Amino acid sequence: MTHGSHRLEYQVRQKLSVARRRIATIANDLLGKRFDQDADGDYILPLEDMHVMVTPRSGIDGQIVVRVFAICTVGVNVIPELGLSLARLNFGLMFGRFMLDVEHRSIWLDETLLGEEFREEELRFAIRIVGATAAEWDDRFKQMFGGSTYEEVLAGRASGIPPRKKPGEGSGQYL
């Protein structure tokens, strides 16, 4: 039996619903066609030879965040040089950050927007820049650290297991 008010939970569900409707409208307009959704209801946008994911989430305090990310490379060799390369690369990026998912030997690119009041042009820009930057670096990472691009794995042109968790979910080890 639960006690207390469920007001915050209700408000969060309402905010997420509004954010999802706005994201869907922007995604449809950006792609010019219907987008795909995964089992969580998150948006999968094929863009720039990448699959860009858009995932609205709520924090403990009920604040809404919208994460925009793409998986670049899977099955990479996790060596110290990889972490150093990502740190140096991140220092020079104006938007987004590369992350190393140690558990799944994957490199991701991620950007986060705060709040359900994000502007349309902010989300459009985040989706485009994540797609373009990930597409620019996925083959480079493959050449430097092994593995396969995520797109090769999805297309069945390379073996590999796509990560099942998304950034910020569970106790994954992200750098």
Side-chain angles (χ1 to χ4, degrees):
M1 176 181 252
T2 21
H3 297 282
S5 173
H6 295 283
R7 184 171 146 204
L8 179 61
E9 186 180 319
Y10 174 77
Q11 289 172 336
V12 166
R13 280 197 309 268
Q14 293 300 106
K15 289 178 184 180
L16 280 171
S17 178
V18 168
R20 285 187 177 283
R21 283 194 303 273
R22 292 187 63 218
I23 292 166
T25 300
I26 294 166
N28 272 333
D29 186 51
L30 188 64
L31 293 177
K33 62 180 181 180
R34 182 82 174 131
F35 51 84
D36 289 326
Q37 287 183 278
D38 66 10
D40 297 329
D42 295 331
Y43 307 91
I44 305 168
L45 311 176
L47 192 68
E48 296 288 338
D49 297 325
M50 299 299 296
H51 281 80
V52 177
M53 301 281 298
V54 181
T55 63
R57 296 285 185 267
S58 66
I60 295 172
D61 63 352
Q63 179 67 49
I64 303 300
V65 295
V66 178
R67 296 198 72 174
V68 180
F69 62 90
I71 302 171
C72 297
T73 315
V74 298
V76 296
N77 297 316
V78 180
I79 55 175
E81 291 79 13
L82 173 56
L84 183 59
S85 291
L86 293 179
R88 284 182 175 149
L89 184 56
N90 282 340
F91 187 74
L93 289 178
M94 191 173 295
F95 293 96
R97 67 188 169 277
F98 285 103
M99 304 178 296
L100 173 60
D101 177 354
V102 176
E103 183 179 340
H104 300 102
R105 299 175 47 214
S106 301
I107 301 172
W108 303 56
L109 180 67
D110 179 55
E111 179 62 66
T112 303
L113 303 177
L114 182 62
E116 68 272 12
E117 297 299 321
F118 57 87
R119 292 187 331 247
E120 180 176 333
E121 69 252 20
E122 280 180 302
L123 182 58
R124 285 175 176 274
F125 178 80
I127 291 168
R128 284 190 188 115
I129 199 74
V130 165
T133 305
E136 177 183 346
W137 283 94
D138 62 346
D139 284 316
R140 291 182 193 183
F141 290 141
K142 176 180 147 181
Q143 290 173 350
M144 294 187 305
F145 303 107
S148 305
T149 69
Y150 182 60
E151 297 304 309
E152 290 172 336
V153 171
L154 289 180
R157 295 188 313 265
S159 62
I161 300 171
R164 290 179 188 84
K165 292 181 184 175
K166 297 173 187 166
E169 287 184 348
S171 59
Q173 302 172 15
Y174 294 95
L175 173 68

